[in-house]
Amino acid sequence: MPWRSRCCLMACCGLLVLLAGCAAPLKQYPLQEQFGSTATYSRLFDAPAAKTCEAARRALLSQGYIINRAAADLVEGQKSFQPEPEAHVQMAIRVVCAPESIDGQVSLGFVTALQDSYTIKKSNNSASLGVGAIGSVSLPFSSSNDAMVKVGSQTITSDVFYERFFDLVKRYLLQGDVPDAPS
């Protein structure tokens, strides 16, 4: 192999080694999901799916949630909280109702709650003024722009949270006057 080819090959190999050393390793996260037979997110109800979803809609409304979508088999609602002056939390709940029995008189309600956290991000701006004869003058005018920035999102996994929600849905179903949800 000619001397030039060897030098070129060694330079390429050296470059590849250098690039491989500079590459940042991907951050590995532990497995977040553990599929199991727990009933945290679902319950059986002695009612058709449409009545179960209507009871879920009423349960959310009774707690101050805004209903974004309501159908015979789906209800989505959200509610906002401000736990601190510069923090905002938004809870979104999704309920899916499915028939569980052949005659449709038993349904399964699946519920998932997602909590998004936001904080205020401030950015300061200062002003400069250019005057032809004098030059540039910095003036102490400052302003700040505030923006809400999403800092976290998590699925609620609390058994107590879901148990209370399912108890409220059951209470509306037991009242007996829950009509079917709109199609």
Side-chain angles (χ1 to χ4, degrees):
M1 184 181 273
W3 180 81
R4 270 189 135 180
S5 295
R6 274 190 250 152
C7 285
C8 187
L9 182 62
M10 289 192 326
C12 285
C13 288
L15 182 61
L16 286 175
V17 168
L18 181 64
L19 288 175
C22 291
L26 292 175
K27 180 158 176 117
Q28 297 292 320
Y29 293 100
L31 182 63
Q32 299 296 309
E33 185 61 67
Q34 303 290 331
F35 284 103
S37 62
T38 62
T40 300
Y41 304 103
S42 64
R43 289 292 183 284
L44 283 172
F45 294 98
D46 289 326
K51 285 187 186 264
T52 300
C53 267
E54 177 60 17
R57 184 183 75 85
R58 291 176 181 217
L60 290 173
L61 285 170
S62 75
Q63 301 301 304
Y65 281 79
I66 296 171
I67 303 302
N68 298 333
R69 187 170 170 201
D73 62 347
L74 174 71
V75 177
E76 292 177 344
Q78 72 179 35
K79 185 176 179 179
S80 296
F81 305 89
Q82 189 169 1
E84 296 175 1
E86 294 190 4
H88 176 79
V89 176
Q90 190 170 52
M91 179 85 71
I93 297 181
R94 179 183 178 102
V95 182
V96 176
C97 305
E100 186 66 13
S101 63
I102 294 173
D103 64 357
Q105 295 305 307
V106 175
S107 61
L108 191 55
F110 299 95
V111 180
T112 304
L114 181 70
Q115 181 173 294
D116 293 331
S117 303
Y118 299 85
T119 190
I120 293 179
K121 179 183 177 192
K122 297 180 183 236
S123 60
N124 293 324
N125 300 324
S126 61
S128 291
L129 178 63
V131 179
I134 302 173
S136 181
V137 177
S138 251
L139 299 174
F141 295 117
S142 67
S143 65
S144 71
N145 295 330
D146 295 344
M148 294 299 285
V149 177
K150 188 175 184 177
V151 293
S153 185
Q154 71 179 39
T155 300
I156 304 300
T157 58
S158 168
D159 290 336
V160 173
F161 173 87
Y162 290 103
E163 196 62 46
R164 288 179 180 165
F165 176 76
F166 288 126
D167 286 347
L168 193 52
V169 170
K170 189 182 290 185
R171 191 184 103 209
Y172 279 100
L173 282 172
L174 291 176
Q175 288 178 354
D177 59 352
V178 176
D180 290 345
S183 302

